[in-house]
Amino acid sequence: IRLLYSQILVGLSHIIPFFLLQDGCPKRNKTTPLELVYPLATNGELFPWTQLRLPQSVHPLSYELTLTPDLDNMTFAGIAVINMSVLHNTNRIVLHGLNLNISNATFKIGDGPASNVTVLQYKANQQIAVKFTEYLKVGQYCVLTLTYSANLSSTYDGFYSSSYTDKSGTKHILAATQFEPLSARKAFPCFDEPAFKATFLIKINRKQNYTTLSNMPQDEFERTSVNMSTYLVAFVVANFSPISKNVSGTLVSVYSVPEKKEHTEYALEAASKLLEFYNTFFDIDYPLKKLDLVAIPDFLAGAMENWGLITFRETTLLVGKDSSPLEKQVVASVVAHELAHQWFGNLVTMRWWNDLWLNEGFATYMQYLSLQEVFPELQAENLFLSVRFRVMDKDALISSHPVSTAVVTPEQVEEMFDSVSYEKGASILLMLNAYLPGEQQFRKGIIQYLKQFSGSNTETNNLWDSLTQVCMCGHSYINQIFYPMGIYNVSEMMSSWTSLKGFPLVSVSRKGDEVTLTQEHFLLTPANASHTSRWGFFFQHTQITDLQACRQNFLLKAKSGTFKVPESVKWLKLNYQNTGYYIVDYGDDGWTALINALSTNVSILTFEDRASLIHNMFALSRQGRVSFRRVLSLLNYTYKETETAPVTEALLQLNNIYRLLEKRQEFDLMSCMKVQFTLTYILDHFGALMDNQTWGEEENLSKQELRSALLSMACSLEKENCTQSANDMFKQYVSNQTRRIPGDLQQVVFSVAAQSRTDWLILYDMYKQSTVDAEKRNMLLGLASTQDTQLLAKILNEGLKGDVIQTQELPLIINTVSRGFAGYLFAWDFVQVNWDRLIEKFLVGSFAIQSIIKSVTSPFSTQAHLDQVKAFFSSLQERGSQMRSVQEALETIRLNQLWMERNLSTLRELLTKIQSQPQKEEPGVSH
C-alpha cells in the first residue's frame, strides 16, 4: 500500500505534498495510532524531515567554499566542503539549500574513503538532505562535499548581481551578498540558522580586472579566526577603490566605486574613532585583522554587519568634504550601529530570530550612546528621542508584538526586522541604564555578558541574568539608599518588557501630599486591555515647590502604588527626560498645572520633557482619553518654543492631522477646515519662528534639524516667503552648480522646485548626472513630491524598472508620493497593480514591504478605503495576506476613522469661533 501511495503521490506531488508514514511529524485519525507525515523531495522520494527548523543531531565545524562567479552570464559555480560533528545518533543530515543545482555530492566519515551520495531537495522548506542506511554515531566526524551551480540573484538577497554607470557612461557589473536573515542558503549549502556557528575558508576565482573581498584579509581569505553564523558570511566581486588606516592593530578600510573615493574620508574617520571607543567600552578588542566598510551602489538594506566586511548603501557611508553635520550624522549613526554589531550579534549571537532584539536593540542603543560620547557635536540625543516616540506609536497597536516573540516561517522571520526589535529594544535598554544603581552597572553587566557568552548563542534571559549578577553583587547598600524597595533584580524587573507587547499607561492622581500611580496597558484601539499585564519599572519624577525643582525616584511593580510629596509641590512631571518607555496621563488637574507652568516659564522643564508632554498628549487624544481641546491648550505655549525636539514633535503631529483632513473625501468642508486649521494651529504658533530661519550655511546640527522641519512645513503650506526663497535658491543653483545648497535645505528647495513641470524636468536631469549621494537622495525626494500625476507615474515606473532610478529607492518613492494629495491614491493603485512585481523585488514580510504597506494605507480614514485595503490583502493569500503589517494597516485606518468621528465636530466648533472673532496679524502670517 505504501509503495502504491508513493507512486501515486509522485505524479501528484505538486498537489499533495505529504505522505503518511510511521515516523516524521505526528498526525492522528480515528482508525490508526499516532502517525507522522513526511513530504516528498523533488525526485519523488520521501524527504526525511518535516520541520522548518533543522534537527540538532549534526553540527557544522567548518566550511571550505570555492566560488567562481561569471558576471558575463550572471551565474556562479561552487564547491562546498562541510566538516561536521555528530551530536546524536542519526541516519540523516538535513541542511539548507535554495535554487542550487547540485551536480555531485560525496560523503566520508573521519579519514575513511569518500562515496557518492544522493542529495534530496524539499523546496517548500528550502532544505536539502542526505539519508543513510546505517546510523551515524555520536562523536563521529564527517565531511559532506557538494558541487553545484546557480544563477546570481536578481533580487537584493543571496549572492546577487548589481551594476553602476560611471561619469563616462560606462556600465560596470559587480556581485555582492546579503545573507541576513535566511539567504546564505542561496549562495552555498549550509546550516542556515544562527546557532550553527562554524569557521569559514573562502576562495573566490575572478577575472584580473576585479577585486574580491570577504570576511578575512583580501586575496588570502584564510580560515576565519572566529566561529560565526552563516548570515554573517559575505563576499564582494567588484572594481572598488579603498582608503585605509591602522587602528589598534586592525586595518580599517573604506571601499567605494573609484569616482567616489574622495567621499570616503569621513566614514574612515568615524569608523576608526568608534572602533577604539568600542574596544575600550566593551573591554574586548575587535577580534579580526581587518575591518572593511564597503559602499554598494545597489543595496536594499541601510547596511549589514557582516563580520569584517560591513556592506552599506552609498547614502549611508559616503559624504563629501563639504557635507553638512546633518549628512554626517546619518553616516556616523549607521557606522556606529554596524560596528556595535561586531560585538552584539557577531561575537555573541541570539540563538534564534525570536530574540533578534539582542542584536538589533543593542546595536541601536549603542549607536546613540557611542555618538554622544565620540561625536557630541552630532547631537544624537534629538534623533534618539524622536525614534522612541515613533516606535511607541506602533507599539500602541493591538497588532504589535512582544520584543521577543515566537517565529517559525521565513515571512515571520523577515517581519522581526521592525522598529519593535530595533528602537523598542534600544528604548528599554536606555530605561534600564538610566535606573540601575551604582556607577557604570549597565556597562559592567554587558561586559560580563559578552565575556561569558563570547563565541556562543544566547537568549534574552542570559542577558538579564548577567546584569542581575553584577547589580546584586556588593551593591545592596546603594540599592537600599536609592531604591527603598530593596535589591534590584534585573531579571524580575525586565522580563515583562520583552515578553509583553506594548507598554504601560501610568495615570497620576493626587490628594494632598499623597500621589497614586496606576498602570495599565496603553492601547489606541478600544479593547479589553489585558488586566494581567504588569510592568516593573522605576520612575524618576520632577516636582516643583515655591522654592525649587527637584527629582526623586520611585519603583512601581504592582498595578498601583503611592508615594508622598510636600503639599507645597505645585506640579509633577514623571519620566524625567523621557528615559522611560511609557506614557503618562496627569488627569485634568495635573495637566492644567503643567500647562500653566509652561505658559509661565518654558525652561522649567528640559526640552526632552516638553517634547514628551506633546507626544503623550497627542497619544492620549488619539486614544480618546483626553479631548483635542486639551491638546490645543498645551500647544498654546509653543509660540515661545525654540528648541528642536518639542517643535519638530508638534509639527509632525499637526502635520499628520493636516494630511488626514486634506485627504478626506468631504472636499468642501475639508478644504475649509484644512485652511483654517493651517492658519490657526500651525502658522499662528510657528509662523514667527519660520520667518526667523535663514537660508545660508548653518553649522549647528540641532539648528539645522529645526530649520529643515520649519521650512519644510512652511513651504508645504505654500507660505509665500518660503516658496519664493526656495525657488530663488534653486534657480541660482541651476545657473551655477558650484553654489551648493546647504544639506538641510536641499529637500525643501528641490520639493518646491518640483511643483513646476519645467523645473521638475531640470531636476530629473540633474538627478541622473549627480554623483553626490546625499544630494541625489534629496533630489529624489523632491521629484517624488510633485503633484503632477503624469510625472508621478513616470517616477514610480522608473523606480520599478531600476534603470535610471535604482529599485532600492522604490519604498522611499512610494512613501513620498503617498504623502501628497495628488499622489496618495495614485500610489495605492500602483501598489495593487504591481504587487507581484514588488514581492519579486522585495521579500514578503521584509522591511521594504512593511514600509510600502504603511505608506500607502496610513493616509486613509474612510470606511470605503478600509474595505478596499481589506479586500485587496485578503485576495493575496500566501502572497502576503498574513503579514503583521497588513493588520497594522487595517488598525491604523480604523483609528484614523475613529479620530475623525470624535474630533470633526470639535474642529467645526473651534473654527466657527475663530471665524467669528477678529483676526490678529502675526508677523509673516497672512489671514
Side-chain angles (χ1 to χ4, degrees):
I1 292 174
R2 287 180 180 169
L3 178 61
L4 177 61
Y5 267 112
S6 78
Q7 289 174 337
I8 294 172
L9 290 171
V10 167
L12 299 177
S13 59
H14 65 292
I15 301 173
I16 308 172
F18 297 112
F19 177 63
L20 298 181
L21 196 62
Q22 289 297 324
D23 56 4
C25 205
K27 182 176 180 180
R28 184 185 299 276
N29 61 39
K30 295 179 180 178
T31 59
T32 63
L34 191 68
E35 293 185 316
L36 298 170
V37 180
Y38 277 126
L40 289 176
T42 53
N43 67 352
E45 290 188 40
L46 293 173
F47 192 80
W49 190 246
T50 63
Q51 300 175 40
L52 283 165
R53 298 282 297 274
L54 297 179
Q56 301 293 312
S57 50
V58 175
H59 197 291
L61 300 174
S62 67
Y63 294 81
E64 296 177 16
L65 304 177
T66 303
L67 297 164
T68 306
D70 181 348
L71 301 188
D72 296 324
N73 296 304
M74 298 299 175
T75 61
F76 67 98
I79 300 173
V81 181
I82 310 174
N83 294 276
M84 298 165 287
S85 171
V86 181
L87 303 183
H88 305 285
N89 294 347
T90 183
N91 64 345
R92 64 198 166 198
I93 295 175
V94 183
L95 61 161
H96 290 107
L98 182 61
N99 300 330
L100 304 176
N101 302 310
I102 298 173
S103 56
N104 189 57
T106 64
F107 179 79
K108 69 173 185 175
I109 298 174
D111 295 326
S115 58
N116 291 327
V117 291
T118 299
V119 177
L120 304 175
Q121 298 188 48
Y122 181 45
K123 290 185 177 181
N125 286 0
Q126 305 177 2
Q127 293 170 349
I128 60 175
V130 177
K131 295 192 292 188
F132 304 97
T133 55
E134 296 183 4
Y135 273 75
L136 304 175
K137 300 295 193 301
V138 172
Q140 288 182 325
Y141 293 93
C142 51
V143 181
L144 179 63
T145 301
L146 300 160
T147 303
Y148 63 97
S149 61
N151 292 322
L152 288 169
S153 174
S154 58
T155 61
Y156 290 102
D157 64 323
F159 190 17
Y160 72 93
S161 61
S162 180
S163 66
Y164 70 95
T165 302
D166 64 22
K167 289 180 180 178
S168 68
T170 303
K171 186 176 183 179
H172 300 265
I173 305 296
L174 61 98
T177 59
Q178 170 60 38
F179 290 159
E180 188 180 35
L182 306 173
S183 293
R185 64 194 67 176
K186 295 183 178 181
F188 58 95
C190 57
F191 295 80
D192 200 11
E193 294 181 6
F196 287 101
K197 289 190 170 187
T199 60
F200 292 81
L201 177 65
I202 299 173
K203 304 172 186 177
I204 300 178
N205 300 312
R206 57 174 172 83
K207 292 184 177 180
Q208 288 186 345
N209 58 328
Y210 283 98
T211 58
T212 52
L213 301 171
S214 189
N215 303 87
M216 293 300 283
Q218 186 177 357
D219 289 332
E220 298 178 20
F221 297 156
E222 63 215 50
R223 188 176 303 280
T224 56
S225 55
V226 289
N227 284 317
M228 63 184 187
S229 304
T230 49
Y231 77 87
L232 294 170
V233 175
F235 28 90
V236 175
V237 182
N239 56 347
F240 291 163
S241 298
I243 64 170
S244 302
K245 181 179 181 180
N246 194 291
V247 180
S248 303
T250 298
L251 183 64
V252 180
S253 304
V254 180
Y255 286 81
S256 70
V257 300
E259 64 190 31
K260 295 182 180 180
K261 186 176 180 179
E262 63 182 13
H263 296 163
T264 58
E265 291 182 4
Y266 182 75
L268 182 62
E269 175 195 352
S272 300
K273 290 181 178 179
L274 287 162
L275 182 62
E276 288 182 324
F277 171 80
Y278 285 138
N279 279 340
T280 301
F281 187 89
F282 295 132
D283 196 30
I284 301 172
D285 286 342
Y286 173 77
L288 302 185
K289 296 178 182 178
K290 63 97 173 174
L291 175 63
D292 295 337
L293 295 81
V294 185
I296 307 292
D298 199 16
F299 189 76
L300 182 60
M304 175 60 208
E305 66 267 20
N306 317 297
W307 216 344
L309 181 62
I310 307 175
T311 45
F312 295 78
R313 274 196 185 198
E314 290 182 322
T315 51
T316 58
L317 190 66
L318 306 180
V319 288
K321 294 178 181 178
D322 298 326
S323 296
S324 69
L326 203 55
E327 292 164 337
K328 290 178 179 177
Q329 185 197 60
V330 171
V331 170
S333 184
V334 178
V335 170
H337 182 100
E338 303 309 323
L339 259 64
H341 270 309
Q342 307 305 299
W343 287 263
F344 283 98
N346 299 9
L347 186 66
V348 179
T349 313
M350 77 268 144
R351 189 174 305 282
W352 179 242
W353 300 106
N354 64 303
D355 278 329
L356 176 65
W357 87 277
L358 288 173
N359 285 19
E360 299 300 349
F362 252 110
T364 303
Y365 178 60
M366 291 306 304
Q367 146 192 351
Y368 294 112
L369 186 151
S370 64
L371 287 188
Q372 290 176 55
E373 293 289 333
V374 181
F375 297 103
E377 71 277 10
L378 296 182
Q379 298 174 303
E381 58 273 12
N382 279 344
L383 180 59
F384 194 16
L385 182 64
S386 175
V387 299
R388 299 203 301 275
F389 291 152
R390 301 292 73 79
V391 69
M392 293 183 86
D393 297 343
K394 173 188 172 79
D395 204 24
L397 301 176
I398 288 178
S399 49
S400 185
H401 64 90
V403 168
S404 180
T405 191
V407 292
V408 179
T409 69
E411 292 77 15
Q412 290 171 340
V413 171
E414 290 284 350
E415 285 199 295
M416 286 300 291
F417 291 81
D418 67 357
S419 59
V420 172
S421 295
Y422 285 68
E423 282 81 17
K424 182 178 180 180
S427 298
I428 63 175
L429 292 171
L430 170 70
M431 179 172 62
L432 176 60
N433 193 10
Y435 298 115
L436 277 181
E439 184 68 23
Q440 300 239 329
Q441 292 302 296
F442 179 80
R443 178 178 172 233
K444 292 174 185 176
I446 62 175
I447 287 173
Q448 174 162 319
Y449 169 77
L450 289 171
K451 289 185 175 181
Q452 180 178 351
F453 297 104
S454 176
S456 17
N457 298 84
T458 60
E459 298 172 345
T460 294
N461 286 340
N462 299 132
L463 172 65
W464 299 148
D465 290 344
S466 292
L467 283 159
T468 298
Q469 290 168 24
V470 168
C471 292
M472 295 182 71
C473 181
H475 290 285
S476 300
Y477 177 67
I478 293 175
N479 276 295
Q480 288 168 2
I481 290 176
F482 283 90
Y483 307 111
M485 296 298 290
I487 293 175
Y488 189 72
N489 185 311
V490 177
S491 297
E492 179 185 339
M493 297 296 295
M494 295 305 296
S495 60
S496 59
W497 292 98
T498 51
S499 62
L500 299 176
K501 71 178 177 182
F503 54 87
L505 165 67
V506 178
S507 299
V508 182
S509 62
R510 180 182 173 188
K511 290 183 179 179
D513 65 348
E514 185 172 87
V515 177
T516 301
L517 306 181
T518 306
Q519 65 162 304
E520 62 185 278
H521 189 178
F522 180 83
L523 287 171
L524 289 174
T525 298
N528 293 322
S530 174
H531 294 292
T532 61
S533 295
R534 296 285 184 276
W535 290 266
F537 51 109
F538 286 102
F539 293 95
Q540 192 174 66
H541 68 267
T542 304
Q543 61 189 45
I544 190 164
T545 66
D546 291 324
L547 300 176
Q548 62 180 352
C550 63
R551 293 189 295 276
Q552 293 185 354
N553 298 313
F554 179 74
L555 172 67
L556 180 65
K557 294 170 66 177
K559 179 177 174 59
S560 63
T562 61
F563 63 93
K564 300 285 188 178
V565 296
E567 291 199 24
S568 57
V569 167
K570 295 182 177 179
W571 52 262
L572 293 170
K573 164 65 176 68
L574 271 63
N575 198 4
Y576 177 65
Q577 293 187 328
N578 202 64
T579 52
Y581 190 74
Y582 54 91
I583 277 177
V584 183
D585 182 9
Y586 297 93
D588 288 342
D589 293 341
W591 280 115
T592 299
L594 284 165
I595 290 168
N596 290 339
L598 283 175
S599 65
T600 303
N601 180 5
V602 172
S603 60
I604 197 74
L605 293 174
T606 68
F607 73 83
E608 297 98 335
D609 286 314
R610 302 197 300 272
S612 73
L613 286 179
I614 293 170
H615 173 264
N616 284 199
M617 183 70 92
F618 272 97
L620 292 166
S621 171
R622 191 159 170 77
Q623 190 196 43
R625 188 175 288 260
V626 303
S627 70
F628 193 59
R629 284 189 179 86
R630 177 66 84 178
V631 175
L632 299 178
S633 67
L634 173 62
L635 293 185
N636 283 337
Y637 99 90
T638 55
Y639 74 92
K640 300 177 182 178
E641 184 64 81
T642 58
E643 289 287 345
T644 299
V647 171
T648 54
E649 181 62 22
L651 287 176
L652 181 144
Q653 297 286 357
L654 292 171
N655 189 53
N656 288 342
I657 296 171
Y658 171 79
R659 296 301 176 194
L660 279 179
L661 290 173
E662 179 184 54
K663 295 175 178 68
R664 280 290 278 205
Q665 293 181 347
E666 302 166 17
F667 291 112
D668 291 339
L669 173 62
M670 290 304 113
S671 177
C672 173
M673 292 181 70
K674 180 185 77 170
V675 171
Q676 291 296 332
F677 181 76
T678 299
L679 292 174
T680 305
Y681 299 110
I682 300 180
L683 293 183
D684 275 6
H685 285 74
F686 300 101
L689 195 55
M690 291 171 178
D691 290 337
N692 288 336
Q693 302 307 305
T694 63
W695 291 78
E697 291 289 349
E698 170 59 65
E699 293 302 318
N700 183 278
L701 188 140
S702 184
K703 291 181 179 178
Q704 283 191 344
E705 291 176 318
L706 179 64
R707 177 170 74 171
S708 177
L710 286 165
L711 294 182
S712 178
M713 176 65 83
C715 285
S716 70
L717 299 178
E718 300 179 3
K719 200 169 188 293
E720 187 175 353
N721 57 352
C722 183
T723 55
Q724 185 61 52
S725 296
N727 276 317
D728 290 345
M729 184 167 277
F730 181 73
K731 287 180 172 58
Q732 292 169 12
Y733 181 66
V734 171
S735 63
N736 180 9
Q737 292 190 29
T738 61
R739 297 186 58 171
R740 183 179 177 275
I741 300 172
D744 62 303
L745 297 180
Q746 287 176 6
Q747 185 180 341
V748 177
V749 170
F750 295 146
S751 296
V752 171
Q755 304 316 307
S756 156
R757 187 179 183 87
T758 300
D759 287 344
W760 191 96
L761 295 171
I762 293 171
L763 186 62
Y764 183 64
D765 287 336
M766 293 170 68
Y767 173 84
K768 290 188 286 186
Q769 300 301 318
S770 176
T771 58
V772 181
D773 293 289
E775 179 184 66
K776 193 164 187 172
R777 190 174 180 84
N778 286 324
M779 288 178 174
L780 186 61
L781 288 166
L783 292 168
S785 68
T786 180
Q787 299 301 292
D788 184 319
T789 53
Q790 287 185 327
L791 298 177
L792 289 174
K794 177 178 176 65
I795 195 169
L796 284 165
N797 287 317
E798 288 287 358
L800 190 61
K801 285 196 307 184
D803 296 332
V804 176
I805 300 172
Q806 293 169 330
T807 302
Q808 67 178 17
E809 303 291 3
L810 190 54
L812 177 69
I813 294 170
I814 291 172
N815 177 267
T816 308
V817 170
S818 297
R819 293 179 186 176
F821 180 70
Y824 81 108
L825 293 177
F826 207 88
W828 168 233
D829 289 342
F830 174 84
V831 167
Q832 292 177 87
V833 170
N834 294 287
W835 181 257
D836 287 339
R837 293 183 66 184
L838 289 173
I839 60 174
E840 285 177 8
K841 301 281 186 181
F842 315 118
L843 297 176
V844 171
S846 66
F847 186 78
I849 290 295
Q850 293 177 48
S851 171
I852 288 170
I853 292 171
K854 180 178 179 180
S855 296
V856 297
T857 58
S858 59
F860 296 153
S861 62
T862 66
Q863 186 63 42
H865 283 139
L866 176 62
D867 293 341
Q868 281 183 29
V869 172
K870 193 183 299 183
F872 172 70
F873 285 108
S874 295
S875 71
L876 297 178
Q877 297 179 353
E878 75 280 358
R879 290 159 36 243
S881 64
Q882 300 304 310
M883 288 185 293
R884 186 187 297 118
S885 49
V886 172
Q887 304 310 312
E888 291 174 4
L890 295 173
E891 187 176 354
T892 299
I893 298 171
R894 292 188 191 100
L895 287 167
N896 291 345
Q897 253 186 301
L898 190 57
W899 192 93
M900 286 291 183
E901 291 169 3
R902 285 174 178 157
N903 295 296
L904 279 182
S905 60
T906 300
L907 284 173
R908 287 191 190 97
E909 291 173 18
L910 289 171
L911 294 176
T912 300
K913 289 180 181 179
I914 291 164
Q915 290 170 334
S916 65
Q917 295 172 357
Q919 297 292 311
K920 65 176 184 179
E921 295 289 339
E922 292 285 350
V925 180
S926 175
H927 293 284

